[in-house]
Amino acid sequence: MSVDERVDLAEQLRAAGYRVTGPRRAVWEALCVADGHVTVEELSARVADIGGDADQASIYRTLAVFEELGLARQSRLHETGAASWEVAHPDEHFHLVCASCGEVDHHAGPLVTRIREHLEGDHGFEVFDIELVVTGWCARCRPGGRAG
Amino acid sequence: MSVDERVDLAEQLRAAGYRVTGPRRAVWEALCVADGHVTVEELSARVADIGGDADQASIYRTLAVFEELGLARQSRLHETGAASWEVAHPDEHFHLVCASCGEVDHHAGPLVTRIREHLEGDHGFEVFDIELVVTGWCARCRPGGRAG
DNA sequence: CTAAATGCAAACTCTTTGCAGATCC
DNA sequence: GGATCTGCAAAGAGTTTGCATTTAG
């Protein structure tokens, strides 16, 4: 996965008139290697881990470019505080955040698409983006639930 | 509406062991009078408008209490920046944010309930809260849409 | 009278910005 | 070579916190 996306990156950047730079490669690799969501601070540490170099300000700027190109996606999974970033997946999905263990589950399914169809059909609302965050207890943490 | 809710406030506060104070009444009234979502800054101005008095720090603390009591609800409707607050409504609804005119539409319907049922039934996920924000163009602003 | 709430100001976190110097094409 | 990008540091926005004073019960 990360190799394909790394190849894509240079093409996508050039196609949009952006330059291919060390920090942009490093941020992209760190984002691809990360399993799921990362904050800018985490991303910064991961960039360092893989031997890359990118100032935090550059990470913010880089993520803004990635978002514009549709390569990365920002979420606000935590009530307050830092934004979370992930590689943009083609499938529409939403996030289940467990209030107990903190795990963020990606829930793919027809629901988000159905929301989009519903709005575009009945309401003439042209959807750019759907942000759906569900907070609760996952099956493992739920008291009396199907404990693991 | 605001009268009923104002009566509720004192009861709800006392029932939970909180005191009924001027700033809390003022913030509640300002929130009830507000049509839809307001930021803390807007709320602060509205409190002053209605002749109330509440420091911004107190507004934050007050809103935290209201949220705990289930009286108010926080949303992150704007990508970045201030949180939005509204009176908590019993019906589950979600928010349509127009990227052009900025209008925030409340969309009530079975969708949010369906999401809840889907997750609780199939996935054993116990839902506390569903935050659904859809960004796009409303019917009026949509190019080539039903102008009107 | 006492615990709780307020106001004020300072601190804190996350993010953006200005600018001189480095870098990609 | 020239526009773009970077790092650094400082500014900015939103929110939280510490503490002396006020206030509700």
Side-chain angles (χ1 to χ4, degrees), chain A residues 58-142:
Chain A
S58 296
I59 296 180
Y60 279 103
R61 289 186 274 227
T62 295
L63 288 170
V65 170
F66 288 177
E67 187 168 44
E68 188 197 317
L69 299 185
L71 298 172
R73 211 173 176 290
Q74 184 181 18
S75 305
R76 306 201 76 87
L77 299 179
H78 313 290
E79 279 291 293
T80 185
S84 300
W85 289 86
E86 67 181 322
V87 172
H89 301 293
D91 60 306
E92 295 195 294
H93 65 278
F94 59 91
H95 298 125
L96 301 176
V97 183
C98 180
S100 173
C101 66
E103 195 182 78
V104 179
D105 194 25
H106 278 201
H107 188 84
L111 269 170
V112 175
T113 304
R114 211 169 291 154
I115 291 167
R116 179 188 291 272
E117 285 164 359
H118 174 68
L119 291 174
E120 303 209 325
D122 296 7
H123 298 274
F125 193 95
E126 179 162 344
V127 175
F128 297 168
D129 187 67
I130 297 178
E131 168 100 25
L132 174 49
V133 180
V134 181
T135 310
W137 274 325
C138 69
R140 274 175 299 284
C141 294
R142 182 182 191 173

Side-chain angles (χ1 to χ4, degrees), chain B residues 9-11 13-14 18-22 24-25:
Chain B
L9 179 67
E11 283 173 21
L13 285 173
R14 288 201 191 93
Y18 289 109
R19 293 182 178 175
V20 182
T21 68
R24 284 178 182 159
R25 287 184 178 282

Side-chain angles (χ1 to χ4, degrees), chain B residues 4 6 25 42 79 112-113 133 140:
Chain B
D4 293 341
R6 210 177 306 147
R25 287 184 178 282
E42 288 162 354
E79 278 290 293
V112 175
T113 304
V133 180
R140 273 176 299 285

